[in-house]
């Protein structure tokens, strides 16, 4: 019985798309290592003076993966772990489907911006900002999709990052992390899509070539990120009444390669 359950968990874990799977696993492993005291949790947090004066360069990485698990913070941790799994999976298999290098680049860009912000603002933990930045990008891609939140509330996805900011503030007592994540997600989305496409500006961001060597595209299509997603994102939530036409960001509506 227990073996069957373990293999079910293993199957579920293997079903998570690759990049999300590693991020998700590390976001469980590092907090547990800190909780068990295998590594002093104080060595996992972002402390600017130790990064710069003692060159403890692992801290920006561990601070992104570590979260204290205590009776006071455990619920906030689990909720945000769920957001990581849910929205990173959707983004990796939706807008970034078949283009892992572009997804890795988005995570790297957001992470670097968050680390810089964290160092300037003396933030100790960076897990929630990175998760929120991914959730924000998903919400922009799916802005007209109707999402269901707790207690049966339903609203358009582009409100979701702000609803979660309030929600996390209620259960966690801070909104700086969420706000940082939302602003960084907005910066990425604006520079990568909104400015070059909607406003006709030049492209400031492009995925470096070396990432394509490590993470080659898994399907045909345009290498690089000059076009919106090459297929219509699979609607994961019930669409808005009336088909959700006329949305602000109907990326991919007329850009399908090898159209149906």
């Amino acid at each position: 019985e227990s073996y069957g359950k373990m293999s079910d968990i293993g199957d579920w874990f293997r079903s998570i798309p690759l990049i999300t799977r590693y991020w998700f696993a590390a976001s469980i492993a590092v907090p547990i290592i800190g909780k068990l005291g295998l590594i002093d949790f104080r060595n996992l947090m972002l402390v600017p003076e130790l990064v710069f004066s003692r060159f403890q360069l692992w801290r920006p990485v561990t601070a992104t993966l570590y979260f204290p698990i205590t009776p006071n913070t455990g619920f906030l941790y689990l909720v945000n772990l769920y957001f990581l799994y849910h929205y990173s999976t959707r983004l990796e298999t939706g807008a970034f489907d078949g283009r892992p290098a572009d997804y890795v680049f988005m995570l790297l860009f957001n992470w670097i911006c968050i680390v810089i912000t964290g160092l300037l603002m003396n933030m100790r933990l960076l897990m929630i900002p990175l998760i929120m930045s991914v959730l924000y990008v998903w919400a922009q891609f799916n802005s007209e999709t109707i999402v269901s939140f707790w207690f049966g509330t339903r609203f358009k996805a582009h409100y979701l990052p702000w609803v979660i900011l309030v929600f996390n503030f209620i259960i966690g007592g801070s909104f700086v992390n969420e706000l940082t994540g939302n602003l960084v997600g907005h910066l990425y989305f604006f520079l990568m899509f909104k400015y070059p496409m909607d406003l006709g500006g030049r492209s400031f961001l492009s995925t470096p070539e070396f990432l394509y060597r490590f993470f080659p595209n898994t399907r045909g299509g345009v290498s690089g990120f000059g076009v919106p997603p090459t297929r219509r994102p699979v609607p994961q939530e019930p669409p808005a009444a009336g088909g959700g036409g006329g949305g602000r960001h109907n990326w991919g509506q007329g850009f399908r390669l090898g159209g149906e």
Side-chain angles (χ1 to χ4, degrees), residues 76 162-176 178:
L76 183 66
W162 306 104
V163 171
I164 290 174
L165 182 144
V166 173
F167 174 77
N168 277 1
F169 177 64
I170 291 168
I171 62 173
S174 169
F175 61 86
V176 174
E178 291 74 12

Side-chain angles (χ1 to χ4, degrees), residues 90-97 99 141-142 225 228-231 233:
R90 287 174 167 212
L91 210 46
E92 192 176 343
T93 57
F96 290 86
D97 187 31
R99 296 178 305 148
F141 271 121
N142 300 275
F225 231 170
T230 52
R231 63 190 196 96

Side-chain angles (χ1 to χ4, degrees), residues 225-238:
F225 231 170
V227 295
T230 52
R231 63 190 196 96
R232 189 173 299 168
V234 180
Q236 291 108 341
E237 313 261 7

Side-chain angles (χ1 to χ4, degrees), residues 91 93-99 102 141 193 197 217-234 250-260:
L91 210 46
T93 57
F96 290 86
D97 187 31
R99 296 178 305 148
D102 294 329
F141 271 121
F193 299 103
M197 285 178 211
N217 287 359
T218 56
R219 59 184 65 221
V222 181
S223 175
F225 231 170
V227 295
T230 52
R231 63 190 196 96
R232 189 173 299 168
V234 180
N250 283 334
W251 304 125
Q253 297 296 48
F255 286 90
R256 295 194 300 285
L257 299 181
E260 292 137 44

Side-chain angles (χ1 to χ4, degrees), residues 128-193:
I128 289 178
L130 189 60
I131 293 169
M132 286 298 296
S133 73
V134 168
L135 188 149
Y136 186 93
V137 172
W138 179 87
Q140 290 298 316
F141 271 121
N142 300 275
S143 61
E144 297 299 310
T145 304
I146 301 295
V147 295
S148 303
F149 199 59
W150 286 24
F151 311 116
T153 50
R154 294 166 69 76
F155 45 83
K156 287 185 176 177
H158 62 100
Y159 296 117
L160 183 65
W162 306 104
V163 171
I164 290 174
L165 182 144
V166 173
F167 174 77
N168 277 1
F169 177 64
I170 291 168
I171 62 173
S174 169
F175 61 86
V176 174
N177 286 327
E178 291 74 12
L179 187 61
T180 302
N182 286 358
L183 294 176
V184 166
H186 183 79
L187 179 67
Y188 168 82
F189 195 82
F190 180 82
L191 292 177
M192 189 62 107
F193 299 103

